[in-house]
Structure formats: C-alpha cells, structure tokens
Amino acid sequence: MKKIEAIIKPFKLDAVKEALMNIGIKGMTVSEVKGFGRQKGHTEIYRGAEYIVDFLPKVKIEVVVEDEMVEEAVEAILSSAKTNKVGDGKIFIIPVEKAIRVRTGEIDKNAI
C-alpha cells in the first residue's frame, strides 16, 4: 500500500476529487494548508502599504491505495490539477506499513 499526498491549488479540489472517484477511490482526507515553493509568495497592497505574502493557500489531499493503483491515481491527479502555471503543486508517494479500520478492526487492503 502507498499513501499519496498531493498539494494542489484550492480551486482544483473538485476536479481532482471527481477524477479520483472515477477511478474507484472511495475515500480521501482533505486539509487546507499554506505554504510556498519556487513561487515564494507574492506582494499585496493593503491600505497603501505593501505586504509580502509568504504562505499561499493550498489544499492537501491524502489517499491510501493498493500498489497497483498508484500510477492510475497519480495520473488522475496530474491530469485534473494541472494548470501549467507556477504553483500547481506536488505529489508525494509514501509507503504504508499497515492500515487498520478503527470501527471493525479490518486490516490492510480491507481497511482502505
């Protein structure tokens, strides 16, 4: 099993969710996060003063999938989140040692 963490632009959340559901992913965790990468934020003017906004709003999606679903899930995220502009985000793939469903005690692939 693998955990896929995708950091994307907030307005792309619905498209990514739809793409993942279309390939059979049943659940995901979504968090509102802030951060910056190469774009290093931007400046804004508020009441005549210029401010540097370092941390930009992003959305983090987390899904756990079986190994054979990883490439399909990554492709779904890439195709639905891409805008071809700086700040589109990142995808991280992390090994998952064990998964347990709290309610039933099911383990590993039965738990995801």
Side-chain angles (χ1 to χ4, degrees):
M1 290 180 299
K2 303 280 193 236
K3 178 180 179 184
I4 300 171
E5 290 185 2
I7 311 294
I8 63 169
K9 292 182 175 184
F11 70 90
K12 287 296 198 170
L13 176 59
D14 287 335
V16 172
K17 181 182 93 171
E18 191 75 30
L20 290 172
M21 289 175 62
N22 286 341
I23 64 167
I25 292 179
K26 298 177 186 109
M28 65 186 69
T29 300
V30 176
S31 306
E32 292 181 11
V33 297
K34 291 184 178 189
F36 68 90
R38 289 184 179 165
Q39 64 193 125
K40 295 185 176 73
H42 62 279
T43 58
E44 288 185 3
I45 297 176
Y46 177 70
R47 294 189 177 186
E50 190 172 338
Y51 294 93
I52 297 173
V53 180
D54 288 337
F55 296 104
L56 301 173
K58 301 287 183 182
V59 171
K60 179 165 81 170
I61 298 170
E62 299 172 86
V63 295
V64 176
V65 298
E66 294 182 49
D67 290 342
E68 55 271 7
M69 285 284 296
V70 171
E71 292 304 318
E72 191 176 6
V74 167
E75 184 53 43
I77 295 168
L78 284 172
S79 63
S80 57
K82 190 174 188 177
T83 66
N84 288 319
K85 294 194 168 80
V86 173
D88 273 354
K90 297 268 192 300
I91 298 174
F92 304 100
I93 301 168
I94 305 155
V96 173
E97 201 169 300
K98 186 173 235 31
I100 303 166
R101 185 183 309 270
V102 173
R103 180 177 54 88
T104 62
E106 292 172 289
I107 297 175
D108 294 336
K109 73 176 188 176
N110 295 325
I112 58 174

